[in-house]
Amino acid sequence: MKAILLFITFVISLFTSNILQAQNINWKNLKSEEKNILNVNAGWEYSFVYGFGYGYHLKTKLPIILESSISLASGEVVFDDFKTKIGGQINLYHTENFYFNATLHGIYRRYGNPLVTLQNFGADASTTIGYYKSKWFVAGEFGFDKAIVTHFKHSEIYKEVYPDVKNGWFEPTTGGNFNFGIQGGYSFSRSDLTLRAGKVMNEDFKSTPLIPFYLQLGFSYKLE
C-alpha cells in the first residue's frame, strides 16, 4: 500500500508542479527608488493557470527582491488547486548588459479531486542568465521544483475500493521536476511585459509530465 501511495504522489506531482509563478524582472530597468512590484500572470502548464504576486526591492549592495505569490488553476471550484510561494530573487553578478540571477522559494500547494486531497510543502530554485537593456531583455532559465512532503486525505469513494488506505504525511521518493527555457520582455517607464516558454522534465531525466511544456505571459508594475 505504501508503494501505491508513493506512486500516487509521483503522478500528482507531475500535474501540480506549477512553475509559472516567479516574477520576471528587467534588472536594467529597475530603479533604486522603485520598492514595490505588483505582478499578474497567466499561462498554460498542466492546465490554464493564473496568478498574482508582490515583490519588495531591498536597498542592498546586491539587488534583492523579496516576493510572495499565489497561483490558481482554472476550474469550477477556485481554491481546489492552488499554490503559494514565498522567497526572493537576487542579481548575483552583472557586467554592462549581461546579468546572472538566482531565485529561491518555499512552496505550499493544494490539489483536490473526488478521490483525494493533497497538501504539499516543497521548494524551488532557478537561475537566469541574459542580456538586459533598459527597454528590453532576453534570458535563458533553468530551475528545479521539488515536492518534499505531502499530506493525503482520501475520500470515502477511494476508501470503498482501497479500505486499508491511510491518511497522513508521506515523503515522496521522487516528484521533482526540472524546467529549462527562455524568457524575454519589453519595458516601459514603470512596467514590464514579459513572456516565458520552456520544457519540463522529471528529475530522472527519462520521462516528462503529461504536458511537458509551459508558457506564461506576465505584467509587472513598479511603485516607489
Side-chain angles (χ1 to χ4, degrees):
M1 182 57 66
K2 184 177 180 180
I4 294 176
L5 293 177
L6 293 177
F7 176 74
I8 293 174
T9 303
F10 172 70
V11 172
I12 294 300
S13 72
L14 303 186
F15 287 89
T16 59
S17 57
N18 199 349
I19 59 179
L20 294 185
Q21 197 52 40
Q23 293 193 52
N24 301 324
I25 302 296
N26 184 346
W27 294 93
K28 190 76 171 181
N29 186 259
L30 182 62
K31 302 175 180 62
S32 59
E33 66 271 16
E34 294 173 338
K35 300 299 182 183
N36 303 285
I37 305 173
L38 307 177
N39 173 265
V40 295
N41 57 76
W44 183 264
E45 207 175 319
Y46 62 94
S47 68
F48 178 75
V49 180
Y50 58 96
F52 311 90
Y54 169 76
Y56 184 78
H57 183 200
L58 296 179
K59 189 176 182 180
T60 52
K61 184 176 181 180
L62 289 176
I64 297 175
I65 297 173
L66 301 180
E67 55 189 7
S68 61
S69 61
I70 183 170
S71 59
L72 307 102
S74 59
E76 294 183 2
V77 182
V78 175
F79 287 100
D80 255 9
D81 306 334
F82 70 88
K83 183 182 73 169
T84 60
K85 296 176 67 173
I86 186 167
Q89 52 183 304
I90 180 173
N91 170 227
L92 293 172
Y93 175 79
H94 72 272
T95 60
E96 183 176 351
N97 294 111
F98 287 94
Y99 284 68
F100 176 78
N101 314 302
T103 68
L104 180 66
H105 299 95
I107 300 172
Y108 167 73
R109 50 195 154 197
R110 181 188 184 279
Y111 173 82
N113 65 29
L115 299 179
V116 64
T117 297
L118 304 180
Q119 298 181 70
N120 170 266
F121 288 96
D124 70 18
S126 64
T127 61
T128 59
I129 302 175
Y131 186 81
Y132 291 75
K133 299 282 284 185
S134 59
K135 286 293 185 181
W136 60 273
F137 73 95
V138 61
E141 61 181 24
F142 178 79
F144 181 66
D145 180 311
K146 178 68 176 180
I148 298 174
V149 62
T150 302
H151 182 271
F152 285 78
K153 184 178 181 181
H154 298 88
S155 68
E156 294 302 320
I157 297 175
Y158 191 93
K159 292 179 180 178
E160 289 178 3
V161 180
Y162 298 102
D164 295 329
V165 69
K166 297 183 183 299
N167 295 326
W169 292 97
F170 295 87
E171 296 181 13
T173 57
T174 183
N177 293 283
F178 289 99
N179 70 282
F180 52 93
I182 59 173
Q183 59 176 256
Y186 185 83
S187 299
F188 305 90
S189 59
R190 285 185 174 270
S191 58
D192 299 325
L193 183 63
T194 60
L195 182 68
R196 298 174 63 209
K199 186 174 182 178
V200 184
M201 181 174 293
N202 298 336
E203 64 180 23
D204 59 8
F205 288 105
K206 297 178 181 179
S207 54
T208 61
L210 181 63
I211 301 177
F213 301 100
Y214 63 91
L215 179 70
Q216 180 194 50
L217 180 66
F219 178 79
S220 296
Y221 189 77
K222 294 165 284 189
L223 302 168
E224 295 183 6

